[in-house]
Amino acid sequence: MRLDAHTSSLMLASSVLASLAVVGCADTGASQNGASEDFRVRNAQFLAEPLPGTVPPDAGSKPAAADAGDAALPTIIQVLTSNYIVTQGQGGKKFNGFASTNTYAIAVALDDETRGHWVQPVGGPDPVMGGLTWDLVTDFGDNITAGHHDLHVVAIDKQGRAGEQATLTVCVAGRIPDNLHACDDSRAPPRAVIALTWDTEVDLDLQVIAPNGVLTDAKHPLTGQRDPSAPPPDDGKLDRDSNASCVIDGIRAESLVWKTTMPHGRYGMYVNLFDSCKQPAGRFKLAVYTAVPNRDSKSGQVLKLWFEKSGELTSVAENGGAARGLFVSEFEFH
């Protein structure tokens, strides 16, 4: 059997790091392959052990050095990403960077959200930076706590020696849109949110009927947009059409958000299975939040949950948007 270069490198990198980890007998199954981890790295090896390497020293102190006579430890030169904000449930988030030329693999963990660490071989040389490239494609699970998290990356050489950990801080935004309040609590949350979330890669759509009978859905994302008599301050808007036409985004959430004005009256809430995406069924949760005063928040407000109801739609309910979805409930805003 002939292995490709990436597979061979990954197997060798894993064997190099095996000397750093003694895996407990009680850790078996998904905990060993990382399938149950909330933070995952694609095409990487999971080791159920703490991230190796040294923690960066405090300012003013000298960094830890290799033993006398040893070659220099491998180093992470740079950690990069295009956007420092990621959403709970988001897949395909990319990180990349550069490492010293004596690096063979990199290990990575997301602070307390990772019960071990992921290992991946480095790429080829970069003529500009003078080091080796590395690239990560990561998935952030639904259960990762919203707020700031530190991504720790460390370089490993062929002898299994780990250098100093490099850290990049990212913010995980919640699936319930809060105007990035979880990332910066000086930002005021929206005035009201009707939020739909689900657990399976299907195309569900949130449908909301306003007190004046106007429908807001994926095709009509603005509240009152078809009613000329609607008051101008009404700024309700759907934030996204998640998994639209089975183009999977991994977020599985969409919300009707009023950023600055509080809606008034009774709203009917529906969930429609536009496309089952070849899945037998999908379970969902529908919730309603409004902003309430809170002294512990710099903005003076937080979102409070007022209503929540769960349900399930099977593939036989798929209708391609040709009909109204399942009626879930009504909620009256005051």
Side-chain angles (χ1 to χ4, degrees):
M1 180 177 66
R2 183 177 181 180
L3 301 177
D4 58 49
H6 176 82
T7 303
S8 299
S9 297
L10 182 55
M11 291 176 65
L12 184 52
S14 298
S15 65
V16 166
L17 293 177
S19 61
L20 301 176
V22 179
V23 179
C25 297
D27 293 325
T28 58
S31 65
Q32 288 300 300
N33 61 31
S36 62
E37 291 294 302
D38 287 324
F39 172 75
R40 298 177 298 277
V41 181
R42 300 181 186 181
N43 300 316
Q45 175 75 37
F46 180 73
L47 296 177
E49 287 295 320
L51 186 71
T54 58
V55 177
D58 295 333
S61 62
K62 295 182 179 180
D67 293 336
D70 285 350
L73 291 172
T75 304
I76 295 295
I77 299 173
Q78 198 169 25
V79 184
L80 302 168
T81 187
S82 61
N83 191 320
Y84 295 94
I85 296 176
V86 60
T87 303
Q88 288 173 330
Q90 181 176 339
K93 176 65 176 177
K94 295 182 179 180
F95 298 90
N96 60 76
F98 306 94
S100 58
T101 55
N102 61 335
T103 303
Y104 188 78
I106 62 167
V108 59
L110 186 70
D111 52 38
D112 294 336
E113 300 292 339
T114 313
R115 293 173 294 182
H117 63 274
W118 297 88
V119 181
Q120 181 173 289
V122 292
D126 183 271
V128 176
M129 295 299 295
L132 301 176
T133 62
W134 56 267
D135 295 275
L136 303 175
V137 180
T138 65
D139 298 319
F140 286 72
D142 299 341
N143 297 320
I144 291 180
T145 305
H148 292 96
H149 293 272
D150 289 334
L151 183 76
H152 303 289
V153 186
V154 64
I156 311 290
D157 65 14
K158 283 189 176 182
Q159 288 71 45
R161 302 182 311 156
E164 186 178 280
Q165 297 174 7
T167 300
L168 178 70
T169 300
V170 297
C171 186
V172 178
R175 298 173 78 197
I176 309 303
D178 65 352
N179 192 32
L180 297 180
H181 182 82
C183 300
D184 179 1
D185 67 356
S186 67
R187 297 174 64 99
R191 296 299 304 278
V193 179
I194 298 177
L196 172 66
T197 57
W198 59 96
D199 69 348
T200 310
E201 300 298 5
V202 298
D203 181 7
L204 287 183
D205 286 331
L206 174 63
Q207 299 173 330
V208 178
I209 302 292
N212 59 9
V214 174
L215 170 67
T216 300
D217 61 9
K219 292 183 179 180
H220 313 93
L222 302 177
T223 57
Q225 66 178 16
R226 291 183 294 168
D227 182 5
S229 64
D234 185 357
D235 65 346
K237 181 180 179 180
L238 279 173
D239 63 343
R240 66 170 61 87
D241 185 8
S242 182
N243 285 354
S245 301
C246 296
V247 178
I248 304 303
D249 58 23
I251 297 176
R252 302 184 304 281
E254 52 191 59
S255 300
L256 179 56
V257 182
W258 287 266
K259 289 186 176 180
T260 61
T261 60
M262 181 69 73
H264 294 278
R266 187 176 293 271
Y267 285 74
M269 302 178 294
Y270 298 75
V271 177
N272 184 56
L273 182 60
F274 186 93
D275 196 322
S276 65
C277 306
K278 299 182 180 180
Q279 301 295 322
R283 293 180 295 180
F284 66 83
K285 183 180 293 182
L286 192 63
V288 178
Y289 302 79
T290 66
V292 297
N294 185 282
R295 294 182 179 179
D296 296 329
S297 170
K298 292 181 181 179
S299 69
Q301 292 183 320
V302 296
L303 285 179
K304 179 178 178 179
L305 175 66
W306 293 99
F307 169 87
E308 186 175 72
K309 189 172 183 179
S310 300
E312 183 179 52
L313 286 170
T314 62
S315 58
V316 296
E318 174 185 315
N319 61 35
R324 188 70 47 80
L326 172 70
F327 173 71
V328 178
S329 184
E330 290 185 332
F331 185 85
E332 186 164 1
F333 292 94
H334 298 285

